[in-house]
Amino acid sequence: MGVCRRFSKNRAAEIDGEDIELSLQTNNTKTVKRAAVLGFGISLVFAFLLLRILILQTVEYEKYQAKVISQITTETTIEADRGAIYDANGVLLAGNVTTYRVFISPRTIKQASTESGVDYADMVSRELSELLENVTYDEVHYQTEKTQYLDRTIARKVHSDVAKQIREVIAENGLEDMIYLEATATRYYPYESLAAHTLGFTNSEGAGIYGLEYAYEKYLEGTDGKYVTARDADGNEMPYDYESMIPAVPGYNVNTTIDVFVQAALDEQVKAAYIESGGENRACGIVMDVNTGNVLAISVYPNFNLNEPWTLNEDSLKVLEESGLDKESEEYGKLKQELLLTTWNNKAVTEVYMPGSTFKIITAAMACEENLDIINQTHFCPGYHIVNGRKIKCHKVEGHGSLTFAQGIQQSCNPWLMRIGAEVGTTRFYNYFKAFGYFEKTGIGLPGEGSTVEGVTFWDKSTFERADIYLATASFGQNFKISVLGHVTAIAAVANGGNLVTPRLVTSITDTDGNVIESFQPQIRRQVVSKQTCKTISAILEEGVSGNGGAKNAYVAGYRVAAKTGTSEKKDLRDENGELIDGKYICSTVAYAPADDPQYITMIMVDQPTQGTLYGSVVAAPYVANVLETILPYLGVEAVYTDAELEKMAVKAPGVEWWSVEAAREYAASSGFELKVVGNGDLIYAQSPAAGTRVERDGATLIVYTERNMEKKTVKVPDLSGKTAVAASQLLANGNLNIKISGTYNYMSGTTMTAYAQSIEPGTEVEIGTTITVYFRDESVSDDAENENLPGVNN
């Protein structure tokens, strides 16, 4: 039993040892497994981290590099130079001048103030507010408080002289890291208001918003560059290795057909026509090459200064001031904005108007092209014509009597034109109207171009063909509307042999090196009428100027001018209560020259003249003549004088300085001058007028001085307005003044030719012998009649 017990104990101990060993083995296995799992997990984490680092270093490198760079760098835009705009001769019309953006670094100002104890915010605010116009101390100081920023703009478009003063302040006070100047290009127009409505202007961001500046924005704008600078956490610049620059690409240049000389000449006459006739609703004019369509000038008056386009001109400012509105009111701001928009609007291109008798050129061309029998007939004008039971008056209410086709046009006889229209017929009339391009935009390339809209500003075809009275009124240019540019283009087709050309303002686009990027050639849209028709019409119109026609005020000595005048009464003008306003007119004249070989066409239109004789033949024709007289010699069109013109031609004053009185008297007489001597000497030291000055033959006087440093005798210039040529000549001769006559051909005959302007203002003190140019016109000519209640497009 004892043995058994020992065995049992030993066995039990053995079994317990085995269990312990087995338990230890089990525990070791679990530990290993746990360790393996943990190790595997750690390996996965490291593998993920390594993979992530690999991705960050490869796939997403650029993404996070950009984030880092964006946090340590600042970008400054380098503005591209906007392309220039040139006239036909390479004269700069729109360019750039260097101005400066003034900006500060508020963070740097704060740091410097903290480190030094100096109140740099006060210093910067005080110095800049004293130098910069319209910038106050408080405005600058407010920006210095925005210390989270490195760049706050204080002023833009600061001129070089002010920028120089700011640089001196920076240097004197050690403000190099606080105040900065950045050179920028600011748009500049050297001729200010010249061709303002054609060129247009840019906004504060430098983008074109009107005219050619807007139309050719994609060429002019260029591509901005940028300058990248790295900074540390405190805003300090880091080494140059962290800097880079992407250069700006300048815009292309736009080369136009505008001619500065022609533009200035047209501007002067459009302004004169508007002011002297008391215009109320602006005036405009165009000069164009009839063969190429090149537009040499477009003028609108009142105009505006392109360098200050947001400033109202005098006329608009007067309207605003007389409105009586409170300057702080919403209505005041609204009216100011409306006046600005009206001022910027290119009247010659965007607006439509009733042409009046200038359209008779087109009606006559239709009849000639169709070779109608009426062109060889004579008709009697009793002063009216009855259509559909309505009596439509002629401007000559007593009637013209018997007139040929040519005389009917030259005398602007409405009954004659209504007969011509009836012979042409509604369908052919409508088709020709369309063929001459009135329903189309001309393609000039300026924004907002206007044109005739069928059913709105001209009858739709079906309506037009239903009533003869529509045809009757349309035949003499009433009760429908067209644009000035569209009308000039259509009449240019009559001038050039029948081709409807596309008006062209831009000839080419070039880069800064002069390389042509794109060119624009003259375009002919179609042939509307034959050369023979054009030749016939041109001859008729020329006879109306050189003879006794209604366009005689468009006469220019030495040039055969084809012209037609026009007057139309505005039928849709209403007051603030919606009531129709009567007695408002549009007066115009269109002319081209030379009539036998047309080169250039011009037109002037005055909207709502109020003073004097309200006919296009008086309000516009003389100024059209002045334009042609000025530009034709300049453009190389040679004057060819008739014998009659040569006989009347003004003579040139001879040069007799340093001559003896006796020799000078003989020479002056041979030149058609009477010599008048001032002084007791025998040698001439001075003369008036100067050698080469042209004066009229009759009464030509040459004043000479025979003593050194003699005080020149003077006289006041008399007022010659309303005087006949004979009376004006005598009045000037009484004061020992010379006269040069400009204007109508038959200025010495009758009393209807009267002076309307003079080169030197009345009352001006001038030296005796001075030549006064006096401008004459015939006040008796008219071109349209008032006809009440004639049906328009919408009635």
Side-chain angles (χ1 to χ4, degrees), residues 204-218:
S204 59
E205 302 299 320
I209 57 175
Y210 267 89
L212 291 175
E213 292 276 27
Y214 173 80
Y216 289 84
E217 172 69 15
K218 69 176 183 179

Side-chain angles (χ1 to χ4, degrees), residues 581-755:
I581 300 174
D582 295 325
K584 298 296 182 181
Y585 301 91
I586 296 175
C587 297
S588 63
T589 296
V590 61
Y592 55 88
D596 52 346
D597 182 23
Q599 301 294 317
Y600 299 98
I601 186 171
T602 186
M603 179 175 177
I604 290 179
M605 180 266 273
V606 178
D607 197 343
Q608 295 177 208
T610 61
Q611 298 172 7
T613 304
L614 303 184
Y615 286 117
S617 53
V618 177
V619 171
Y623 305 94
V624 164
N626 293 341
V627 170
L628 293 174
E629 184 177 30
T630 302
I631 70 171
L632 290 176
Y634 165 79
L635 293 170
V637 182
E638 186 177 355
V640 179
Y641 297 97
T642 64
D643 291 339
E645 286 174 332
L646 288 172
E647 188 176 330
K648 285 187 176 182
M649 185 178 294
V651 292
K652 287 184 179 180
V656 295
E657 291 182 3
W658 304 106
W659 287 43
S660 68
V661 172
E662 184 179 352
R665 193 182 304 279
E666 185 178 346
Y667 182 44
S670 68
S671 301
F673 283 78
E674 177 187 357
L675 194 74
K676 291 189 176 181
V677 181
V678 179
N680 299 314
D682 186 56
L683 188 65
I684 297 172
Y685 293 103
Q687 70 176 69
S688 179
T693 304
R694 285 193 174 275
V695 303
E696 297 302 320
R697 291 177 184 274
D698 294 337
T701 303
L702 187 64
I703 307 296
V704 296
Y705 297 86
T706 61
E707 295 178 18
R708 286 184 182 274
N709 303 318
M710 285 190 68
E711 183 178 352
K712 304 294 175 62
K713 291 189 174 183
T714 61
V715 64
K716 285 187 178 181
V717 176
D719 186 355
L720 305 172
S721 58
K723 298 289 189 296
T724 64
V726 173
S729 297
Q730 186 60 55
L731 196 57
L732 291 175
N734 292 342
N736 287 317
L737 295 173
N738 288 296
I739 185 172
K740 183 179 182 302
I741 292 174
S742 179
T744 56
Y745 175 66
N746 294 313
Y747 53 78
M748 297 297 286
S749 63
T751 59
T752 59
M753 310 294 179
T754 55

Side-chain angles (χ1 to χ4, degrees), residues 276-565:
E276 292 173 21
S277 66
E280 292 182 330
N281 192 31
R282 304 198 296 163
C284 63
I286 294 176
V287 175
M288 188 172 81
D289 185 317
V290 300
N291 297 300
T292 65
N294 286 353
V295 177
L296 283 69
I298 297 177
S299 180
V300 179
Y301 188 84
N303 51 25
F304 61 96
N305 187 340
L306 287 168
N307 295 313
E308 298 177 0
W310 302 93
T311 300
L312 289 175
N313 58 39
E314 291 183 6
D315 291 67
S316 298
L317 192 59
K318 183 179 179 182
V319 172
L320 189 62
E321 291 175 347
E322 292 178 351
S323 68
L325 296 171
D326 183 352
K327 291 184 178 181
E328 303 300 322
S329 68
E330 183 179 343
E331 291 79 6
Y332 183 91
K334 184 178 179 181
L335 177 58
K336 182 178 180 180
Q337 184 64 25
E338 289 175 354
L339 290 169
L340 279 172
L341 292 174
T342 300
T343 299
W344 298 336
N345 179 40
N346 192 334
K347 190 177 186 72
V349 176
T350 62
E351 294 183 11
V352 291
Y353 79 110
M354 202 181 299
S357 288
T358 57
F359 189 81
K360 292 173 181 176
I361 297 173
I362 304 299
T363 304
M366 297 178 191
C368 286
E369 186 66 14
E370 293 297 323
N371 197 26
L372 300 178
D373 291 339
I374 195 171
I375 65 177
N376 299 312
Q377 297 174 358
T378 298
H379 281 277
F380 183 84
C381 167
Y384 62 88
H385 186 61
I386 297 176
V387 180
N388 290 354
R390 297 197 186 192
K391 180 185 288 187
I392 304 175
K393 294 183 291 184
C394 184
H395 66 84
K396 191 172 184 178
V397 292
E398 67 273 22
H400 286 98
S402 293
L403 296 173
T404 64
F405 174 76
Q407 291 170 337
I409 297 167
Q410 292 161 1
Q411 298 301 323
S412 203
C413 178
N414 287 347
W416 235 114
L417 268 295
M418 284 185 272
R419 289 189 178 98
I420 294 172
E423 289 293 321
V424 172
T426 54
T427 300
R428 284 191 294 197
F429 189 100
Y430 182 92
N431 290 339
Y432 273 112
F433 187 89
K434 183 176 181 180
F436 272 106
Y438 289 109
F439 287 135
E440 310 167 25
K441 293 185 178 181
T442 66
I444 194 172
L446 288 175
E449 182 182 355
S451 62
T452 305
V453 179
E454 187 179 9
V456 179
T457 49
F458 193 87
W459 303 267
D460 63 77
K461 189 173 183 180
S462 59
T463 301
F464 187 65
E465 292 177 339
R466 283 202 306 267
D468 292 339
I469 196 164
Y470 296 150
L471 174 61
T473 55
S475 66
F476 59 92
Q478 296 286 349
N479 293 353
F480 65 89
K481 293 182 179 180
I482 56 181
S483 74
V484 170
L485 178 62
H487 197 31
V488 168
T489 304
I491 296 173
V494 176
N496 68 24
N499 294 320
L500 187 67
V501 298
T502 298
R504 184 173 66 149
L505 267 175
V506 175
T507 57
S508 66
I509 307 295
T510 54
D511 63 18
T512 53
D513 295 323
N515 300 308
V516 177
I517 304 302
E518 190 170 350
S519 61
F520 306 92
Q521 302 302 316
Q523 295 181 353
I524 296 175
R525 284 183 274 172
R526 56 184 168 270
Q527 183 160 358
V528 185
V529 291
S530 67
K531 289 183 179 180
Q532 183 56 50
T533 290
C534 298
K535 185 177 179 180
T536 300
I537 298 299
S538 294
I540 291 172
L541 296 176
E542 192 279 329
E543 289 172 5
V545 175
S546 61
N548 195 35
K552 65 180 70 174
N553 283 335
Y555 168 79
V556 180
Y559 295 97
R560 298 187 64 197
V561 176
K564 188 73 190 75
T565 64

Side-chain angles (χ1 to χ4, degrees), residues 148-266:
Q148 70 271 32
Y149 296 107
L150 293 168
D151 181 339
R152 301 302 292 172
T153 298
I154 302 300
R156 297 181 185 273
K157 296 185 178 181
V158 176
H159 292 293
S160 299
D161 55 344
V162 178
K164 181 181 178 182
Q165 293 176 290
I166 293 174
R167 287 194 188 94
E168 292 172 354
V169 168
I170 292 172
E172 290 171 2
N173 298 282
L175 304 176
E176 287 81 1
D177 295 328
M178 302 177 219
I179 301 176
Y180 296 87
L181 292 168
E182 178 186 46
T184 59
T186 297
R187 204 60 166 169
Y188 176 68
Y189 305 90
Y191 291 95
E192 297 184 339
S193 62
L194 189 85
H197 295 85
T198 303
L199 294 176
F201 54 92
T202 60
N203 61 16
S204 59
E205 302 299 320
I209 57 175
Y210 267 89
L212 291 175
E213 292 276 27
Y214 173 80
Y216 289 84
E217 172 69 15
K218 69 176 183 179
Y219 297 105
L220 291 164
E221 62 178 342
T223 304
D224 290 344
K226 57 185 176 181
Y227 183 69
V228 182
T229 305
R231 295 180 182 270
D232 60 22
D234 293 324
N236 300 311
E237 290 191 6
M238 296 175 67
Y240 67 89
D241 289 343
Y242 294 90
E243 297 180 350
S244 64
M245 184 184 75
I246 300 174
V249 179
Y252 294 130
N253 299 325
V254 173
N255 304 294
T256 74
T257 59
I258 296 296
D259 186 295
V260 165
F261 180 87
V262 176
Q263 181 71 52
L266 181 64

